[in-house]
Amino acid sequence: MKATIWHNSRCSKSRETLAILNATAGLEVEVIDYLKHPPTRAKLAALYTRADMTPRDGLRKAEDKAKTISGADDDAVLDAMIADPILIERPLVETEKGVRLGRPPELVRAIL
């Protein structure tokens, strides 16, 4: 099976999630540095749909820029994330079994 992680190496939760993936026998892991190679708007929306999340659920609320869109609708939140990928909460992990936000990292085990 293959897993794709939308990763930020500076994030401890992202590193912990990647360690879980790398320790899973038989799993092919694709690591995407989402700050350098952000998902398209359509891909990000699809990830959230598969994870049963709204874009607001995937918003990195700790970022100052997130506060400026606190009352925005889902489309505006997605637009802001695409314009500035730091607003995307990480890590997102996708497998054939689904998508999970690795917060906490153990949540990804459900799709492995």
Side-chain angles (χ1 to χ4, degrees), residues 40-52:
T40 64
R41 188 182 194 285
K43 178 64 175 180
L44 188 58
L47 288 169
Y48 290 145
T49 297
R50 287 193 66 213
D52 198 26

Side-chain angles (χ1 to χ4, degrees), residues 37-108:
H37 307 284
T40 64
R41 188 182 194 285
K43 178 64 175 180
L44 188 58
L47 288 169
Y48 290 145
T49 297
R50 287 193 66 213
D52 198 26
M53 296 171 58
T54 67
R56 183 167 312 291
D57 295 333
L59 180 63
R60 186 161 171 75
K61 295 168 185 71
E63 294 295 326
D64 288 337
K65 291 180 181 181
K67 294 173 180 85
T68 66
I69 57 171
S70 63
D73 65 17
D74 286 347
D75 284 331
V77 172
L78 276 174
D79 289 342
M81 290 172 163
I82 297 308
D84 192 353
I86 196 69
L87 293 172
I88 300 170
E89 187 64 272
R90 72 269 180 162
L92 280 169
V93 176
E94 179 179 29
T95 72
E96 63 192 34
K97 295 181 180 180
V99 175
R100 292 291 182 275
L101 179 63
R103 289 191 170 266
E106 294 77 25
L107 290 177
V108 303

Side-chain angles (χ1 to χ4, degrees), residues 1-4 17-29 93-100 105-112:
M1 179 170 43
K2 179 181 176 184
T4 301
T17 301
L18 181 57
I20 290 170
L21 298 177
N22 285 332
T24 302
L27 189 65
E28 175 189 341
V29 181
V93 176
E94 179 179 29
T95 72
E96 63 192 34
K97 295 181 180 180
V99 175
R100 292 291 182 275
E106 294 77 25
L107 290 177
V108 303
R109 293 186 194 281
I111 59 169
L112 299 179

